[in-house]
Amino acid sequence: MNIAIYPGTFDPITLGHLNIIKRASRAFDKLIVCVMVNKSKTPVFSSQERLEQVRKVTERFENVEVDFSEKMLAEYARDRNATIVVRGLRALSDFEKECQMALINRKINPNLDTLFLAASEKYTYLSSSAVREMVQFGVHIDDLREFMPREIIDEVVERILHRR
Ligand code: ADP
């Protein structure tokens, strides 16, 4: 069984992420979407919230499992018997950082390779931070539907505009 991991911060999950999940789930027997800790980011949503959001929007994919880990990716992959990491590439600016990460992960875990999926042109300019900014500026829900899975729009708006 070939098992792949799609790791990310997902703060929050966007239609760009979901597009990668959909395509990667077709390519592997099992895809583990793992909410991870990125030491250079301070997420707006807690790990529990991000985990629940990702779960909610990926329910329909039978071979997709959602998890959370604070471990290093290479180590987590070893624990889960995964041999492939899936990452999305939006622009050339993603490339350097992603390439570096892929090489480091393979150095630590030689069985682990990274496969890049080119972002769908529809979502090339989409990021979680752009979504958060649109919400902060009060972009209408109808427009947010172009960028965010509809199941989580209300809670994301509520949470960002009325921070608990
Ligand atoms: P990380 O902190 O690990 O970069 P992100 O949630 O920002 O977490 O991104 C997770 C992965 O999803 C990365 O490989 C990123 O390039 C990819 N990604 C983010 N937004 C998009 C998008 N709009 N289209 C395709 N891939 C994307």
Side-chain angles (χ1 to χ4, degrees), residues 40-138:
S40 57
K41 292 181 179 172
T42 309
V44 169
F45 294 92
S46 70
S47 44
Q48 189 58 33
E49 286 172 314
R50 287 178 284 138
L51 182 74
E52 278 165 20
Q53 289 165 355
V54 177
R55 280 220 172 104
K56 203 183 267 183
V57 306
T58 58
E59 257 174 1
R60 66 182 185 276
F61 301 105
E62 283 182 357
N63 63 339
V64 171
E65 178 191 321
V66 182
D67 196 9
F68 165 77
S69 176
E70 288 181 316
K71 285 189 180 161
M72 226 189 148
L73 178 59
E75 202 185 320
Y76 176 78
R78 195 179 283 133
D79 293 350
R80 301 299 314 264
N81 291 321
T83 51
I84 298 289
V85 173
V86 173
R87 296 286 287 176
L89 277 186
R90 283 162 294 185
L92 214 50
S93 51
D94 277 341
F95 183 78
E96 201 175 332
K97 177 180 66 89
E98 292 291 340
C99 227
Q100 186 186 31
M101 200 169 90
L103 290 172
I104 291 173
N105 282 330
R106 204 173 49 190
K107 188 91 187 156
I108 300 173
N109 177 350
N111 292 322
L112 190 61
D113 243 318
T114 302
L115 283 185
F116 296 111
L117 290 184
S120 151
E121 68 262 32
K122 224 170 130 188
Y123 303 124
T124 299
Y125 298 102
L126 185 56
S127 62
S128 298
S129 58
V131 160
R132 295 196 304 268
E133 215 161 295
M134 283 187 271
V135 172
Q136 266 153 2
F137 280 111

